[in-house]
């Protein structure tokens, strides 16, 4: 399996459009996203996000936050822990929380998932995005399953 | 890809049953729906909903509203914009909102999605359903992916 | 199609980790769950949950409750009704409700789904789990689609 990690942020005229714009900013706006929970198979390669075919059905772990309160700080994060066997993925986010805390909590949750599975962490990657809302903003962070 | 657009409304003894009855009314109650977001591939044909095999896994964009407040007007809408390339789908809904506004907002959001992608709209279709709640009602509108 | 019915309960340091631990307790923590609604095809066999390959994409009907209020009783249930044709699945749950009522409501909703489809019930199975929260707990009940 190949997976890519990405994130995006945007403003928009409606909540749905801001979300859509953030997906476009993340490079995953032109596909059909199917939300899944939270494991990457053994021998998964983490690669750069490639150009996806519009309309494809794409499995992903997705973190999403939006706000229409100007000045709000919105955050989305994905943490991925790999091992010599399979790995774990965490989605996390917040509104008006310290980005550093969001990051720490995401890492801590991913570490805990590996611990309870007795998997030794080989690599731990966090993708995090923050956005200060102007009018109506959205952030997304995602791990995208790209197939073999 | 072939897709169908459909909608349904119903009452039911519980929220879940009202939802299920509305899906049956829409002709998609006997399958397993998997919610996806919101793009139709290039060369998609919009067709009449065919009889689906019970228990099939069916991807769909789904708008759903329910209420157990007698007299409430519940609305669900799907707007689909096509181009010579790929197209965009919006789900929208509301409770006690002007159906005409729901429709206008759905159209406006679909138009905006096409605009930010620089896609020229060939066709814009809106499916909309409204229901005045008697005891416990539900409405659904859906774009259903039927495969090739 | 083969399906398995399972449930699990757990505590955890965060809501997400408690959920993950409950999935592990149910034997479905190491896969990617895709939520679907609520039909089993004709000729479905209900089997014991087998060991799943970590990272596999697995369709399921999922009931999930969590609470961080010590002493809360959290409940999740799945009811499955089969016929000589296809069958119906209900997810149900509650917080501080009588487990017996949760079970009765799940059965009643599954029966009603079969009734409106004019399907005669051959077998009706309920899987139910209850947990009294210590610090932060979660319960899950699930029907898992295992393929052919």
């Amino acid at each position: 399996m190949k997976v890519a990690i990405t994130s995006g942020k945007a403003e928009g005229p409606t909540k749905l459009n801001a979300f859509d714009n953030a997906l476009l900013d993340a490079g995953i706006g032109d596909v059909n996203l199917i939300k899944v929970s939270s494991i990457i198979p053994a021998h998964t390669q983490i690669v750069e996000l490639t150009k996806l075919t519009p309309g494809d059905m794409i499995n992903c772990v997705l973190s999403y936050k939006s706000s229409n309160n100007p000045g709000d700080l919105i955050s989305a994060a994905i943490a991925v822990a790999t091992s010599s066997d399979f790995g774990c993925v965490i989605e996390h986010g917040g509104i008006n929380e310290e980005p550093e805390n969001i990051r720490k909590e995401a890492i801590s949750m991913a570490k805990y998932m590996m611990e309870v599975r007795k998997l030794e962490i080989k690599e731990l990657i966090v993708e995090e995005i923050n956005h200060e809302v102007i009018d109506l903003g959205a952030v997304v962070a995602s791990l995208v399953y790209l197939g073999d």
Side-chain angles (χ1 to χ4, degrees), chain A:
Chain A
M1 174 69 74
K2 286 183 178 128
V3 301
I5 305 168
T6 186
S7 62
K9 59 181 174 182
E11 296 278 314
T14 68
K15 200 176 151 182
L16 199 152
N17 286 130
F19 174 52
D20 181 54
N21 286 346
L23 291 176
L24 283 172
D25 187 46
I28 51 175
D30 287 343
V31 294
N32 286 300
L33 298 172
I34 301 175
K35 284 179 78 171
V36 306
S37 72
S38 301
I39 301 292
I40 51 175
H43 313 300
T44 292
Q45 278 178 273
I46 300 174
V47 300
E48 289 289 305
L49 184 61
T50 47
K51 186 154 174 37
L52 304 167
T53 306
D56 269 8
M57 300 292 164
I58 300 287
N59 294 320
C60 71
V61 179
L62 187 72
S63 170
Y64 159 59
K65 287 287 172 194
S66 74
S67 164
N68 60 0
N69 192 19
D72 272 1
L73 182 68
I74 52 177
S75 308
I78 290 281
V80 184
T82 65
S83 77
S84 59
D85 196 348
F86 65 95
C88 294
V89 189
I90 280 282
E91 75 271 23
H92 192 38
I95 298 182
N96 292 325
E97 291 184 42
E98 274 298 319
E100 209 185 332
N101 288 349
I102 299 282
R103 171 178 285 264
K104 273 185 195 161
E105 287 158 14
I107 290 172
S108 159
M109 287 192 284
K111 278 187 175 168
Y112 178 90
M113 278 180 82
M114 297 296 276
E115 223 174 272
V116 294
R117 287 169 174 84
K118 297 182 178 33
L119 295 169
E120 198 186 322
I121 295 174
K122 215 169 71 180
E123 219 180 346
L124 205 156
I125 300 163
V126 187
E127 173 95 14
E128 183 200 334
I129 193 154
N130 302 288
H131 173 64
E132 197 183 316
V133 174
I134 301 166
D135 287 309
L136 198 173
V139 287
V140 297
S142 181
L143 177 128
V144 181
Y145 294 83
L146 297 171
D148 296 318

